[in-house]
Amino acid sequence: MSVPVMTVPGELRTGETTAAVRAAGLRKTYGTGETAVHALAGVDVTFAAGEFTAIMGPSGSGKSTLMHCLAGLDTATAGEVWLGDTPLTSLRDDQLTVLRRRRIGFVFQSFNLLPVLDARENIVLPLQLGGLRPDPAWFDAVIARLGLRERLGHRPHELSGGQQQRVAIARALLPRPDVVFADEPTGNLDSRSGAEVLGLLRSSVKETGQTVVMVTHDPSAAAYADRVVLLAGGRLAGDLADPTAESVLDALRGLGA
Amino acid sequence: MRSVVLAQLRTHAARLIASTLAVVIAVGFVVATLVLNETSRSTVLDTVGARYVHAAAVVTSEGGSLADDVADLEALSSVGVVAPAYEAGVSAEVPGRPGSQYLSVQSVADAPQLRWEQLSSGRLPREVGEVAVTDRARAEVGDVLTVSAYDADGEATTSQATVTGIVDLRGDPQAGLFARGFVTEAQARDWGAGFPAELRIAAGPGFGADEVLRDVTAAVPGDAVVRTGEAQAERAAAALMGNTTALASVLLVFGTIAVVVAGLVIANTFAVLLAQRTRELALLRCVGATPRQVRRSVLGEALATGLVASALGVAAGIGLAALISAVAGSNSAIPLSGVAVPLSAVGAGMLVGTVVTVLAALAPARAATRVAPLAALRPVDPAPLRSRPGVLRLVLGLLLAVPGTALMGGGAAMPDVRVALPGGVLSFLGIVLLAQRAVPPVVAAVGRLAGRLGGVPARLAAGNATRNPRRTAATATALLIGVTLTSAFVVGAASTRATATAGLAAEFPTDVVVEGFAGELPGSLENTLARTDGVARSAPVLAGTVAGPDGDLVGAFGVDRAEAAATLRSTEDLVLPGPGQVSVPEWLADPWAVRDGDRLTLGGDPDREVPARQFTVRVVDADNPLLLDATELRALAPDASLGQVWLRLADDDPARQLDVLDRITDVVAEASPDTQVTGLIAQRAEIDEILDVLLLVVTGLLGVAVVIALIGVGNTLALSVVERRQENGLLRALGLTRGQLRGLLAWEAMLVAGVASALGVVVGGSYGLIGAASVLGQVGDLVLDVPWLQVAAIVVVATVAGLLASVLPARRAARTAPVAAIAAA
């Protein structure tokens, strides 16, 4: 087990910018006793608003579990998560669901879209689930930025992998959530489409101040982020500002990955 | 591959529950029908045949007397004793009971070995003046009956007989029809029994039935028939069982429907199970399984399921039959005691269940062999399954439906049920085939409507319901069949009832007629009856005689038109005359040579000194005498008096009308003893009751098919939930609450069930109307009636049941953690 290096306590960063998401003492344990597996073994981390953060780490480091707990998809065994000022662990399932619908956007690696809905319906789905209508100007802006105007009437199986991910990003951005969580958004894409998707995520941060947290195992994807949080063995193992592919690779090597 | 089959069964046993349940219900139904049929056959044999089974031989004769043969037969060495059966009909008065009742009397054998009567108390009669009776006589041991016997000329002789015992006829279905008496031969002859209709013969010591049969056959005259006791018992039972056998075949038709519906559900289950297992099957192919082996493994699974489910079904069927037998017992119309399980029923149940299951799995098994080995390596394809409904199916469906419908329409127009029935069968098969193509677009259209009402979950449900058209169609078709048949029957029965009621009302327009045997009724009776509770209207009918055109006196009734009309249900056949009019029944119109509109002179009777009057004739098809206006009858026949009272009963509570009839009978009996009360309302109630019971039974039977189909709906949903685990997880991640997810599945179930039942009701209703038109049109004037309330109830019940079917799958889906969407399969 490696000793955490370059750890920056969450509280320190909170002072500098507003925190979009914050976790304290986060633990997630599967099983009990001898066979217990600690996916998260006490994580304190803060994600600043308007920043593009990548969570990296070797397989089994707990990066996906961390994201699931931060996004209210999974419940932690111990610890607390705040979305802005809202503590998530005390929320009931329905409250969590509504919170995800209103304040969190998701982009997954695969199976992002509902096959029975066309692109437009997929994009407005979270708003409609809450009985809301999209702001037309903002909808147009998002569609234009993602280049989806010609594809709105298509069903997911009529779209390429890259197009599907762009629809997923549009869906994530449309409700102007507090934070967009992206779980290996380029995992299933060729490198050109991957670069396009990462560029779009990055520009949404730069141009509209959207907070994005992305889980990835690809150093060159992580290089698009403003900051990289490294995870190993369920603990925070490093924190890089303004990463490049090389600095990320170096940091990963430092973890013994 | 056997190990794979077994492992599959162990692992996926839960998923096969629905198919198993469908088979169990269908097989159980068939087996219960067969077992009940056999039970009732053996019950009848035990009861009706009781008097024969212990006889070595029975001699019957259509024509002549067998009395002379008794002595000859008894002289035969193989014959022990001969018991001639004397029968007579008498009327008996039981002390303390009003009136007299019919008593069917038969002689008791002298020889103990030929006595079959079981006594619940007392003993059998030993001499003239003694009688044993059945329960139905409502007499007690020691009662002295006053018996009136009639000779061939109708002359009555009255004698007394003491009740010595009560005979228990057990489950004899005819026990309740009338009372029976058991007397000595001499008494039976005294009471009018002519000659013995049959001889029961017991074998002499050391002789068998074969020898008795041979000797007796040689000894009796040629026109007599000799059978063994057992053969005669079978014959007696068969004569009575004719109806129940017909009933059993009707039941088996419904059993077949249940089996077909179960087949659809099973086929669907297997298709979905295999679709889910695509990657597993592909992996098997990758590691070297041939398509043949894959198919065999699927069919092996079906065979195992079929065998287990059929065995359960057979057990369930026998249990059900035992339960029905125990509950219904000897009080039912069909005689039942205990259960008799014929091996053939067990065999048929096992065979039907297993064969249907394997047949249903054939198509899915063929599809499974087409899985490419590469499918194992590909990630799950998110594209919706596109299946084109077969062109063959469409063509075949149209080929069956179009001519079938035309034939059916022709049959209704002719009307001839022999044309309509095959048309109906053909078109229904066609519709079932076409439903596969028609249902998905209808579901989609209704889904769009529902989407406006139910928001996002309803819209998603509409999309989900049509993403696999073949599966939706198969699920819906199973329900469609059940609902179509149910509503066809409900609508058909309503029209039958309406037609029968209209026909009865025309034929028997009065609810109750009170008339005197001797002719005259006390004048105050009408007032008394009018005041009786439950009587809505009453009208007095004057009876008198008038001279016809030929001078002979004929009977005539006189009524006040307005008053009488208020008591009638229909004036179609019974036309009420106004002043100056006369209704002439056909039997008088012919000899008088008058027709509608002719002028007729009545009352030119010189003895009475009343002036003749001219009337306009209306010829009516009725058994009544002449019918005139009351005032005019009085003028023509000054001695006319109250002859009948017509009563109309209140309709507010049809169930009470029979009570009212009883009350009227009491009132009348008190006022005037020799008065007859004819309650046509009783006949009407009887027909209503028969239709009600029939409707209830058949609806219940078809309900079985609907229940199986609804299991199919739940099953399809449950499998969809498994299939769409990821998708449901994604929806939950994106903000679909648990409630909304349950709503989504509820909408999906309601869409499929609602569309299937609505289509089924439309199709079935048409079948019911056409069927009623083609059957009843042959009989008489047709009245079509659609019981809207019941039809709506069918749609609502089926839809709500569909909703209920979604509850369990929905609970399971709602438990899906959102993380499931990301943790890929």
Side-chain angles (χ1 to χ4, degrees):
Chain A
M1 188 77 21
S2 54
V3 179
V5 289
M6 293 186 291
T7 307
V8 179
E11 288 73 17
L12 270 184
R13 289 196 63 106
T14 322
E16 293 165 19
T17 45
T18 341
V21 191
R22 191 156 59 88
L26 206 57
R27 286 175 177 277
K28 178 75 182 177
T29 310
Y30 295 104
T32 49
E34 292 284 304
T35 56
V37 175
H38 303 281
L40 294 177
V43 173
D44 303 283
V45 68
T46 301
F47 299 92
E51 211 174 53
F52 186 0
T53 311
I55 302 176
M56 290 206 69
S59 294
S61 60
K63 55 185 188 296
S64 284
T65 309
L66 174 60
M67 196 209 88
H68 294 162
C69 290
L70 293 175
L73 289 172
D74 207 351
T75 49
T77 314
E80 184 55 274
V81 175
W82 289 268
L83 179 70
D85 296 327
T86 315
L88 299 192
T89 42
S90 58
L91 296 183
R92 292 195 320 271
D93 183 77
D94 277 1
Q95 294 171 314
L96 260 186
T97 307
V98 171
L99 176 129
R100 284 200 300 269
R101 185 195 285 170
R102 297 241 173 94
R103 296 175 58 188
I104 298 176
F106 288 99
V107 181
F108 298 116
Q109 176 178 2
S110 62
F111 205 83
N112 243 315
L113 306 176
L114 287 171
V116 292
L117 301 181
D118 65 20
R120 177 196 292 277
E121 291 169 327
N122 263 294
I123 291 168
V124 299
L125 180 65
L127 285 174
Q128 282 193 333
L129 285 173
L132 302 173
R133 287 175 179 283
D135 164 14
W138 175 240
F139 181 84
D140 285 343
V142 169
I143 297 306
R145 177 127 51 81
L146 294 170
L148 287 171
R149 188 157 308 286
E150 309 301 318
R151 301 273 174 260
L152 287 177
H154 291 190
R155 293 280 185 95
H157 64 100
E158 296 163 331
L159 300 172
S160 73
Q163 286 165 341
Q164 289 188 22
Q165 286 309 71
R166 280 189 286 165
V167 173
I169 292 170
R171 178 187 63 202
L173 295 178
L174 192 64
R176 298 198 229 232
D178 292 6
V179 56
V180 170
F181 286 101
D183 189 1
E184 304 273 11
T186 59
N188 272 356
L189 301 180
D190 59 66
S191 54
R192 206 177 65 87
S193 308
E196 200 176 76
V197 163
L198 290 166
L200 286 166
L201 285 175
R202 172 156 194 82
S203 68
S204 72
V205 175
K206 288 281 169 268
E207 289 163 25
T208 63
Q210 178 65 55
T211 310
V212 175
V213 175
M214 171 177 75
V215 169
T216 182
H217 65 273
D218 178 2
S220 52
Y224 282 81
D226 298 321
R227 172 191 172 209
V228 171
V229 172
L230 291 162
L231 223 60
R235 293 171 202 279
L236 228 49
D239 201 330
L240 293 176
D242 299 322
T244 62
E246 289 73 27
S247 65
V248 173
L249 261 178
D250 285 346
L252 282 171
R253 279 196 203 100
L255 295 175
Chain B
M1 288 302 279
R2 185 171 303 155
S3 58
V4 176
V5 172
L6 292 177
Q8 284 289 2
L9 284 174
R10 272 198 306 275
T11 323
H12 298 304
R15 292 185 193 172
L16 288 169
I17 284 177
S19 338
T20 309
L21 211 52
V23 178
V24 168
I25 292 178
V27 168
F29 188 86
V30 171
V31 170
T33 306
L34 293 173
V35 167
L36 282 177
N37 189 36
E38 177 62 22
T39 302
S40 108
R41 210 185 70 83
S42 72
T43 306
V44 169
L45 200 59
D46 282 353
T47 53
V48 180
R51 57 156 83 185
Y52 301 119
V53 285
H54 298 299
V58 178
V59 184
T60 52
S61 172
E62 290 288 322
S65 166
L66 293 167
D68 300 340
D69 301 310
V70 175
D72 294 349
L73 290 175
E74 274 184 332
L76 293 171
S77 58
S78 60
V79 170
V81 277
V82 177
Y86 288 92
E87 290 177 359
V90 299
S91 75
E93 280 173 43
V94 177
R97 307 242 171 238
S100 60
Q101 57 178 318
Y102 176 73
L103 194 65
S104 166
V105 176
Q106 47 193 277
S107 59
V108 174
D110 290 333
Q113 66 263 45
L114 285 174
R115 290 185 170 183
W116 56 272
E117 296 86 355
Q118 307 264 355
L119 288 156
S120 57
S121 65
R123 58 171 177 81
L124 285 173
R126 293 188 192 126
E127 55 197 29
V128 171
E130 290 185 341
V131 63
V133 293
T134 54
D135 274 351
R136 181 70 171 75
R138 281 180 279 186
E140 281 162 39
V141 175
D143 281 352
V144 177
L145 308 185
T146 307
V147 176
S148 302
Y150 300 85
D151 63 16
D153 299 326
E155 290 297 316
T157 50
T158 304
S159 58
Q160 309 264 309
T162 308
V163 176
T164 59
I166 307 298
V167 172
D168 179 6
L169 291 177
R170 306 273 162 127
D172 188 330
Q174 293 174 322
L177 290 183
F178 44 79
R180 288 189 232 177
F182 299 86
V183 295
T184 59
E185 280 174 33
Q187 178 72 79
R189 280 200 299 270
D190 282 356
W191 282 351
F195 47 80
E198 64 181 31
L199 308 176
R200 290 179 295 126
I201 300 168
F207 288 93
D210 293 346
E211 288 153 289
V212 176
L213 190 67
R214 189 192 58 215
D215 293 350
V216 170
T217 308
V220 296
D223 63 342
V225 183
V226 185
R227 295 190 186 85
T228 61
E230 273 173 38
Q232 183 68 24
E234 291 269 1
R235 210 177 134 78
L240 198 73
M241 283 294 290
N243 291 332
T244 46
T245 315
L247 185 64
S249 21
V250 171
L251 285 177
L252 282 180
V253 169
F254 292 115
T256 312
I257 294 165
V259 168
V260 168
V261 171
L264 279 169
V265 171
I266 298 162
N268 216 16
T269 312
F270 271 95
V272 178
L273 281 179
L274 292 172
Q276 284 177 313
R277 238 190 268 156
T278 306
R279 298 185 74 184
E280 266 171 55
L281 293 171
L283 189 62
L284 279 174
R285 300 272 285 111
C286 271
V287 299
T290 63
R292 236 180 112 85
Q293 283 174 312
V294 169
R295 189 173 60 225
R296 277 224 307 271
S297 85
V298 172
L299 289 181
E301 203 175 320
L303 183 67
T305 311
L307 281 173
V308 171
S310 305
L312 290 174
V314 167
I318 294 172
L320 181 68
L323 188 73
I324 291 176
S325 172
V327 171
S330 51
N331 295 330
S332 71
I334 307 164
L336 294 170
S337 90
V339 266
V341 181
L343 266 184
S344 61
V346 175
M350 289 301 294
L351 194 71
V352 165
T354 311
V355 167
V356 163
T357 313
V358 173
L359 280 182
L362 272 183
R366 215 182 49 189
T369 59
R370 292 204 218 98
V371 172
L374 259 181
L377 310 173
R378 272 190 232 122
V380 181
D381 186 9
L385 291 157
R386 295 267 161 206
S387 54
R388 271 182 311 138
V391 176
L392 181 71
R393 193 190 294 270
L394 178 69
V395 172
L396 196 63
L398 285 175
L399 277 180
L400 286 171
V402 173
T405 310
L407 207 57
M408 204 164 59
M414 285 159 100
D416 190 345
V417 70
R418 283 165 303 174
V419 177
L421 188 65
V425 172
L426 284 183
S427 63
F428 186 60
L429 289 176
I431 283 171
V432 168
L433 287 173
L434 291 178
Q436 303 268 335
R437 180 165 280 227
V439 166
V442 178
V443 170
V446 176
R448 276 196 292 280
L449 275 179
R452 299 224 179 106
L453 289 173
V456 184
R459 256 207 327 264
L460 286 171
N464 281 339
T466 47
R467 69 204 281 185
N468 191 336
R470 186 174 291 178
R471 187 193 303 170
T472 303
T475 310
T477 305
L479 191 55
L480 180 76
I481 293 176
V483 172
T484 298
L485 295 171
T486 310
S487 38
F489 200 83
V490 168
V491 171
S495 295
T496 307
R497 179 191 303 249
T499 303
T501 308
L504 276 178
E507 196 162 344
F508 309 111
T510 34
D511 285 352
V512 178
V513 174
V514 178
E515 69 185 317
F517 282 127
E520 201 167 323
L521 287 173
S524 61
L525 186 62
E526 194 244 326
N527 262 333
T528 318
L529 288 171
R531 283 199 309 271
T532 304
D533 191 21
V535 173
R537 306 298 286 257
S538 71
V541 180
L542 288 180
T545 48
V546 298
D550 50 8
D552 289 344
L553 287 178
V554 294
F557 278 171
V559 293
D560 177 82
R561 179 149 75 172
E563 209 173 15
T567 65
L568 299 184
R569 297 272 171 188
S570 161
T571 50
E572 195 175 318
D573 288 353
L574 182 65
V575 181
L576 296 172
Q581 294 174 328
V582 60
S583 295
V584 182
E586 276 168 2
W587 62 272
L588 272 176
D590 285 345
W592 288 354
V594 290
R595 280 177 308 186
D596 272 357
D598 286 356
R599 302 292 288 173
L600 179 68
T601 309
L602 293 174
D605 178 5
D607 300 342
R608 285 197 192 165
E609 300 177 358
V610 287
R613 286 177 179 231
Q614 289 268 314
F615 293 92
T616 310
V617 170
R618 273 293 290 277
V619 179
V620 296
D621 175 19
D623 295 331
N624 291 327
L626 283 180
L627 200 55
L628 298 168
D629 180 76
T631 324
E632 287 176 329
L633 178 67
R634 244 187 228 108
L636 290 177
D639 59 342
S641 61
L642 186 63
Q644 290 190 339
V645 180
W646 292 353
L647 299 174
R648 181 182 179 125
L649 305 188
D651 286 323
D652 47 355
D653 185 2
R656 266 187 55 238
Q657 290 183 336
L658 288 180
D659 296 344
V660 174
L661 185 60
D662 285 346
R663 205 174 309 143
I664 290 168
T665 312
D666 289 348
V667 167
V668 169
E670 209 168 292
S672 165
D674 56 346
T675 303
Q676 187 181 354
V677 177
T678 316
L680 301 165
I681 193 108
Q683 268 163 330
R684 211 179 290 147
E686 207 169 303
I687 288 181
D688 261 8
E689 199 181 344
I690 291 171
L691 277 172
D692 273 343
V693 169
L694 205 62
L695 189 65
L696 202 67
V697 168
V698 176
T699 311
L701 299 178
L702 290 170
V704 172
V706 175
V707 167
I708 296 178
L710 286 169
I711 290 175
V713 172
N715 189 31
T716 308
L717 275 181
L719 295 165
S720 303
V721 165
V722 175
E723 233 177 16
R724 295 192 211 130
R725 195 179 140 74
Q726 257 193 317
E727 200 177 309
N728 291 335
L730 176 69
L731 278 167
R732 295 274 290 120
L734 292 179
L736 191 80
T737 60
R738 284 197 174 131
Q740 284 176 313
L741 184 56
R742 279 195 292 265
L744 191 157
L745 284 158
W747 272 108
E748 195 174 336
M750 285 207 300
L751 269 177
V752 175
V755 166
S757 48
L759 282 178
V761 158
V762 170
V763 175
S766 322
Y767 276 109
L769 290 178
I770 291 172
S774 57
V775 174
L776 301 174
Q778 285 173 298
V779 182
D781 289 338
L782 176 68
V783 183
L784 291 180
D785 182 26
V786 178
W788 295 110
L789 202 67
Q790 277 160 292
V791 165
I794 292 175
V795 177
V796 171
V797 166
T799 311
V800 170
L803 184 69
L804 289 179
S806 82
V807 167
L808 285 180
R811 279 173 59 97
R812 185 172 169 178
R815 279 204 301 269
T816 308
V819 189
I822 309 108

